[in-house]
Amino acid sequence: MSIFDPEQRRRRPAARLGMTLLRLGQATRRLTAAEAREIDLTPVQAQTLLFVRYTKSFLTSIGRLAAALGTTHVTAIGVVDGLVQRGLLVKEPSRTDRRVTLLRLTPAGEEACRRLDHFGQTIEEALGALDEAELAALERRLGAVVWSLRAAGVIQVAEPCHGCMHFQENAAPGAPEPHRCGLIDAFLSEEESRRDCPDHTPVGLDASAAD
């Protein structure tokens, strides 16, 4: 029963919504391609730079990047190598595990990220037609779909620490790294806590459903 079948969409609300999401995905790909092209990047290159910019510094490995992009490790390496050659990224070994290579932005990469501040803005503007109550309701319902897809292993969802079941805010008040992550048993600075984490598990969500 394909959502491309008009008869199925007529009969089944889920099929209609599925087609709506598919069309939104097509529009998103087109918009992000145009936005990235403005600074001579492909969408996947732009997403890679933004991943490094907004992900916790100790989690910017190529493996984590591949998961975020929804691609293979080999493909992610190719994307990274291209950005390294352009002087936008550098690689450095992890301080805690020398086998792991972490990605860092160069000054030119930081500037590219600043020029990507508008990335996705057209989509946000389209949502501006909804009022706050409608946006909140849409967020809850789409969020349920997103976490269902994450549980199925289809996508990766990364969010900052606040609102995560593993986050212990101000576990060490006054310390340079006052917050604690119970998942990795490590303390975090305020800056790190505000960066995305692919292991984020919302409070109230069954941990097994987020794996």
Side-chain angles (χ1 to χ4, degrees):
M1 295 184 292
S2 172
I3 62 174
F4 288 91
D5 184 343
E7 185 63 20
Q8 292 298 326
R9 296 201 301 274
R10 185 183 70 82
R11 294 179 177 178
R12 298 188 296 124
R16 292 195 297 274
L17 287 171
M19 179 57 76
T20 297
L21 293 174
L22 181 65
R23 289 167 177 160
L24 285 173
Q26 292 170 337
T28 299
R29 286 192 293 273
R30 183 174 180 178
L31 289 169
T32 55
E35 292 168 348
R37 194 160 52 242
E38 292 178 7
I39 62 171
D40 194 28
L41 293 172
T42 66
V44 73
Q45 287 175 328
Q47 190 176 349
T48 296
L49 293 178
L50 293 172
F51 166 84
V52 177
R53 172 64 183 86
Y54 292 110
T55 299
K56 287 178 170 44
S57 62
F58 54 87
L59 294 176
T60 56
S61 67
I62 294 178
R64 294 282 192 172
L65 171 65
L69 297 177
T71 189
T72 65
H73 193 87
V74 172
T75 298
I77 289 175
V79 174
V80 167
D81 286 346
L83 291 170
V84 169
Q85 290 172 6
R86 292 184 59 175
L88 300 176
L89 284 181
V90 293
K91 303 176 185 178
E92 68 177 38
S94 167
R95 288 179 297 176
T96 57
D97 187 344
R98 307 295 287 185
R99 298 168 299 177
V100 176
T101 298
L102 298 175
L103 305 174
R104 298 286 183 258
L105 294 170
T106 64
E110 292 279 6
E111 174 59 26
C113 284
R114 282 191 288 272
R115 295 177 65 190
L116 285 168
D117 279 347
H118 66 287
F119 200 63
Q121 184 175 345
T122 305
I123 301 168
E124 184 177 354
E125 290 172 351
L127 291 168
L130 303 179
D131 62 31
E132 289 188 10
E134 290 171 328
L135 286 172
L138 182 62
E139 182 181 12
R140 286 194 302 272
R141 286 160 177 76
L142 287 181
V145 175
V146 166
W147 286 102
S148 176
L149 291 172
R150 176 180 172 176
V154 177
I155 58 173
Q156 175 179 279
V157 180
E159 293 289 346
C161 290
H162 291 268
C164 177
M165 65 182 298
H166 305 295
F167 183 56
Q168 300 170 18
E169 188 172 11
N170 286 323
E177 298 177 327
H179 311 304
R180 181 177 179 274
C181 173
L183 182 65
I184 61 173
D185 190 21
F187 285 89
L188 306 171
S189 67
E190 178 65 22
E191 180 182 0
E192 286 286 7
S193 75
R194 293 177 179 271
R195 290 176 175 246
D196 284 340
C197 173
D199 296 319
H200 179 99
T201 304
V203 174
L205 182 73
D206 184 349
S208 64
D211 292 337

